[in-house]
Amino acid sequence: ACYVGCDCAPLMYEAVARTESHVALARDVATAAVVLLKNDDSALPFRRASDNGSEASGTGTEANSTSFPPTSPPPTFATSLPTARGTLTPARPLALLGSACVAPGLDPNEPDWTAADYYALGGSGRVIAGDPTAAFDTGTSGPYPPLSIAAALHRRGVPLRVVDTDDAVAAASAMLDAAGALACAGATATESRDRPSLSLDQDAFLKALAQDTAQERAAGRLPPLAVVAYAPGAVLTEWAHFADAALILFLGGEQSSEAVARLVLGQASPSAKLPITLPLSEADTIAPCDADSDVCEYTEGVHTAWRGMQAKPVAYPFGHGLTYTRFEYRWASDLAVTLSSNASMARLAPTDAALSDVAVVVRIAVTNVGADAAHDVPQLYLAFPHTAQQPALVLRGYRKTPLLHARDSYACTFELTRRDLSTWSGGWVLQRGMFTAHLGASSRDLRLSRDFEIS
């Protein structure tokens, strides 16, 4: 034991807890946390001539990267070019676009406790390694900050053409004769104050680049444009409408860019789901409290967050997340109600063991009907009887499948407890009437539904 302010310094600041297994775990967790928002016409993953389905070994030599002048003239597009998408080679590199692609990590000696970067939250809970680059062989990071996506791709030997400014004209020029394009953006957040807006720092750059190149990309004269967003929470994604693919990662730590690199190169398939709703506008969200007021009233009750937005159009709904393959759902057995028909309606305390009694069992089968191996995360949503005055849908469970190869199936079992069928009114009260169990890939992609009654 130690006492903060007395003798904890060696344990807090001098201990070296990093091991290869810790780094690998951090990388795997970050990889599993990246959400694929959009992937039109399978724009991702990018392909390399050396790809063989395994982690590629990069040379880390600077010959794999070139910088592109940020003051380039407006691009001109040939009318006789073949389809621009292709295999990444030194002659046809990956265009890496925007200042966030080379964003460094926070200096471990940063004196401002609220400071943050694109990989970690600021505030009293902030964790910065004494040497945040220790997990990487900086000799293979080239001229790029070790935590950046540029460094992660360079370490894998990916031929790059980097525009390290948020100049949409220079970025569009860099896409000419590239085999693919990846634009980057981010935002930071910290304890003690609200974010000034829900826009990414590079929002204007992304919108200009995506809109200005949309026609040429559609015609095949420029390669597909993917965007990766390093986000601290909900963000506005108008730019995604004009991009071909979009990924988002919420504060993934030092291995954030390693995770993104693995996914955009097809060394893993995305499997994460959105834990929040991405709104169409800031007006659709609950506004921060007035900083000049001592009173902050929240009146939405149980209709907060995504549950209160079910009737509104959104950019990307709660639970959304794509993979590089497709999954189909089917019922594996009839839904089984196991709760006794004479179960008590009495209010139960939160500690009452009866709340854990299994009331309903739901079984589905998930089948990979695509070509690539991936995990899936089917979700169970519940619609209460109207008399319960609950949100239209509430999440009551989710299951992550093992890695499923083409044509593999997996049986998922969901158990609804008495607590799941109850609402709070001075205690947990079991609701009676007609419920509906919905199984789906998100809160707005419901594929199976079945009614059951608690009488």
Side-chain angles (χ1 to χ4, degrees):
C2 69
Y3 297 91
V4 175
C6 298
D7 56 352
C8 282
L11 291 176
M12 293 179 65
Y13 305 116
E14 299 171 17
V16 178
R18 184 190 301 279
T19 67
E20 289 186 9
S21 62
H22 290 167
V23 172
L25 176 61
R27 184 168 57 249
D28 289 344
V29 169
T31 301
V34 179
V35 182
L36 180 62
L37 298 175
K38 177 180 182 179
N39 196 26
D40 289 353
D41 298 322
S42 298
L44 291 175
F46 301 121
R47 300 296 184 185
R48 295 180 294 171
S50 60
D51 283 345
N52 57 9
S54 61
E55 192 88 14
S57 57
T59 62
T61 61
E62 290 201 32
N64 292 320
S65 305
T66 58
S67 295
F68 205 78
T71 56
S72 301
T76 56
F77 303 105
T79 57
S80 59
L81 287 175
T83 300
R85 181 178 181 177
T87 300
L88 300 177
T89 65
R92 299 196 63 197
L94 175 64
L96 198 57
L97 312 171
S99 62
C101 294
V102 293
L106 202 62
D107 186 332
N109 297 313
E110 170 59 56
D112 180 1
W113 68 280
T114 67
D117 58 29
Y118 291 158
Y119 316 113
L121 188 71
S124 59
R126 185 183 70 195
V127 177
I128 306 175
D131 179 4
T133 67
F136 310 104
D137 179 355
T138 55
T140 65
S141 298
Y144 313 113
L147 268 61
S148 68
I149 183 62
L153 291 167
H154 188 86
R155 283 190 288 268
R156 285 164 169 76
V158 177
L160 301 175
R161 179 182 295 155
V162 179
V163 174
D164 60 5
T165 66
D166 300 322
D167 182 331
V169 172
S173 296
M175 293 174 65
L176 287 168
D177 73 29
L182 178 64
C184 311
T188 60
T190 187
E191 182 183 347
S192 78
R193 56 180 175 267
D194 291 316
R195 293 155 58 196
S197 77
L198 296 186
S199 295
L200 294 168
D201 294 344
Q202 297 80 12
D203 183 76
F205 164 69
L206 291 182
K207 286 191 285 192
L209 176 63
Q211 293 180 35
D212 292 350
T213 61
Q215 184 175 350
E216 298 301 318
R217 285 184 283 116
R221 291 189 286 269
L222 287 179
L225 173 65
V227 175
V228 57
Y230 296 96
V235 295
L236 300 180
T237 57
E238 181 182 349
W239 43 265
H241 178 73
F242 300 96
D244 298 293
L247 300 144
I248 190 168
L249 175 59
F250 301 101
L251 301 171
E254 70 174 27
Q255 295 295 312
S256 295
S257 294
E258 285 290 308
V260 172
R262 294 173 80 180
L263 293 170
V264 300
L265 296 177
Q267 294 163 348
S269 181
S271 64
K273 302 291 185 175
L274 281 177
I276 56 176
T277 293
L278 299 184
L280 283 175
S281 72
E282 291 185 1
D284 294 327
T285 66
I286 300 172
C289 293
D290 186 346
D292 298 325
S293 174
D294 294 331
V295 179
C296 186
E297 294 186 8
Y298 292 96
T299 60
E300 64 274 8
V302 294
H303 298 270
T304 189
W306 72 272
R307 294 181 294 275
M309 300 178 71
Q310 280 297 99
K312 296 180 179 180
V314 299
Y316 295 100
F318 177 84
H320 172 73
L322 306 177
T323 71
Y324 292 151
T325 190
R326 294 178 297 110
F327 292 96
E328 286 186 352
Y329 300 167
R330 60 179 176 81
W331 294 107
S333 66
D334 290 337
L335 184 147
V337 178
T338 59
L339 187 71
S340 172
S341 60
N342 60 2
S344 171
M345 291 283 289
R347 291 181 177 86
L348 299 183
T351 56
D352 197 310
L355 289 173
S356 298
D357 291 346
V358 176
V360 181
V361 179
V362 181
R363 294 187 177 90
I364 66 168
V366 179
T367 302
N368 183 346
V369 295
D372 294 320
H375 301 272
D376 190 31
V377 186
Q379 301 151 48
L380 170 61
Y381 295 89
L382 193 63
F384 273 75
H386 293 302
T387 54
Q389 297 183 325
Q390 292 296 294
L393 290 177
V394 292
L395 178 68
R396 283 295 185 260
Y398 56 89
R399 299 288 183 271
K400 185 172 183 177
T401 71
L403 187 68
L404 298 180
H405 295 269
R407 297 180 295 280
D408 283 352
S409 293
Y410 183 76
C412 294
T413 299
F414 299 84
E415 294 182 339
L416 292 171
T417 65
R418 176 172 175 149
R419 162 66 179 81
D420 292 325
L421 307 180
S422 300
T423 60
W424 180 261
S425 179
W428 289 109
V429 180
L430 177 67
Q431 297 297 307
R432 297 190 184 276
M434 191 66 68
F435 292 77
T436 303
H438 299 281
L439 282 301
S442 82
S443 59
R444 302 201 185 189
D445 182 6
L446 304 175
R447 304 182 185 184
L448 301 173
S449 298
R450 189 158 291 181
D451 296 336
F452 64 91
E453 186 173 10
I454 300 297
S455 58

